[in-house]
Amino acid sequence: MRITYCSADMDAASWIPGLQAAIPGAEVTLWEPGGPPADYAVVWKPPQQLLDEQGPHLKAIFNTGAGVDAILKLRLPPHVPVIRLDDAGMSVQMAEYVCHAVIRHFREFDAYDRDTDNGKWSFRKPRSRAEFPVGVLGLGVLGERVARTLTQFDFPVNGWSQTPKDISGVACYHGKAQLNDFLAATRVVVCLLPLTPETENILNADTLGRLQSGGYVINVARGAHLVDADLIALIDSGHLAGAQLDVFRTEPLPKGHPFWAHPKIAITPHTSARTLRSESIAQIARKIEALECGQAVAGVVDMDRGY
């Protein structure tokens, strides 16, 4: 068995030995143009040339992340499944990040930071959790984990997905017909949607304007979900209280972008949930073993839905 590895961002010197150790019977090599045909490709943001050359021989393509929007922009070989990571340690990181962002905003720790930076000793009136319903847009593996974790802090939690979901403690909405009701019931919105043509620009003046007054935006999905200018306008108008952003249309975020200097927007460098190499490699190895035995595996991307 041959496995070819290619990543624009990740360290091949660690991934290739790890894959080799997890799948001892395989030959794992770094992809090079014109290289020998492989049975499986393990990739992150691969070039089109890899898919053109290797496509006819591949049994499956493993995407080393939960988001598949980058690879779906390419011309994929027909009948070759693209398989994404189900979790691989990312869901607990995402729950940590989102809960931290929600609590920081709710408890006004950002304001306390500003006060202490200025040598000011101050208190703020405690706020009611009942007045801060949190809505999670996207209830996949990561979104469901985030929604369930938020319930542990006694916030009212809403969830929206394309198809019906049933999550204990979460008021679930689904489909376009229920999106506006979800937004109207939400004050703090968390975007964990896959990026598809239907979800691009979904965080815009219309949708964000439907959030409860004093709303807050947390985007940990993709930068293209958010219309940047609409967010700033709604914050400056007073309808939104601010935002915590981890993803951006251009990364790194360009110098001079207004997000850098806006006092009510906090940013982090796409670090909410990082791929954990050892967990990812173990998952890929298990799935390759199952495929070789003719078994079905989780995480196969539905090309029509885009996730």
Side-chain angles (χ1 to χ4, degrees), residues 56-133:
H57 316 287
L58 293 174
K59 298 178 183 179
I61 300 168
F62 287 90
N63 189 68
T64 57
V68 294
D69 47 291
I71 194 170
L72 293 187
K73 292 176 182 177
L74 302 177
R75 187 173 57 256
L76 294 165
H79 313 303
V80 177
V82 175
I83 303 171
R84 56 176 170 74
L85 296 179
D86 302 322
D87 181 340
M90 287 184 283
S91 68
V92 66
Q93 295 178 72
M94 190 63 80
E96 288 170 344
Y97 183 99
V98 171
C99 288
H100 176 273
V102 170
I103 293 167
R104 181 173 181 269
H105 171 62
F106 170 69
R107 293 285 304 274
E108 299 186 88
F109 289 144
D110 51 349
Y112 281 117
D113 284 345
R114 289 194 296 271
D115 286 349
T116 55
D117 285 346
N118 292 317
K120 182 180 179 182
W121 186 272
S122 64
F123 293 97
R124 283 170 170 75
K125 181 181 178 180
R127 304 200 282 193
S128 169
R129 283 172 173 76
E131 296 176 0
F132 279 80

Side-chain angles (χ1 to χ4, degrees), residues 1 3 5 14-29 40 42 62 85 276-290 292:
M1 181 197 304
I3 300 172
Y5 175 83
S14 300
W15 276 79
I16 290 176
L19 286 164
Q20 188 70 72
I23 314 170
E27 179 185 350
V28 186
T29 58
Y40 297 97
V42 178
F62 287 90
L85 296 179
L276 300 182
R277 185 175 63 249
S278 58
E279 287 87 341
S280 301
I281 287 172
Q283 185 180 132
I284 291 168
R286 288 194 301 270
K287 290 186 177 185
I288 287 178
E289 181 180 359
E292 288 293 296

Side-chain angles (χ1 to χ4, degrees), residues 152-213:
Q152 301 303 304
F153 293 95
D154 294 345
F155 290 102
V157 180
N158 305 315
W160 182 88
S161 54
Q162 296 283 3
T163 56
K165 300 278 185 173
D166 184 8
I167 303 171
S168 177
V170 179
C172 293
Y173 300 76
H174 70 276
K176 291 182 180 179
Q178 295 185 8
L179 178 58
N180 287 344
D181 290 339
F182 162 84
L183 294 167
T186 294
R187 183 164 177 176
V188 179
V189 68
V190 181
C191 184
L192 272 161
L193 290 166
L195 181 61
T196 68
E198 289 72 32
T199 65
E200 186 172 357
N201 299 321
I202 193 170
L203 301 176
N204 56 49
D206 177 60
T207 55
L208 297 180
R210 295 175 185 272
L211 295 175
Q212 295 177 8
S213 180

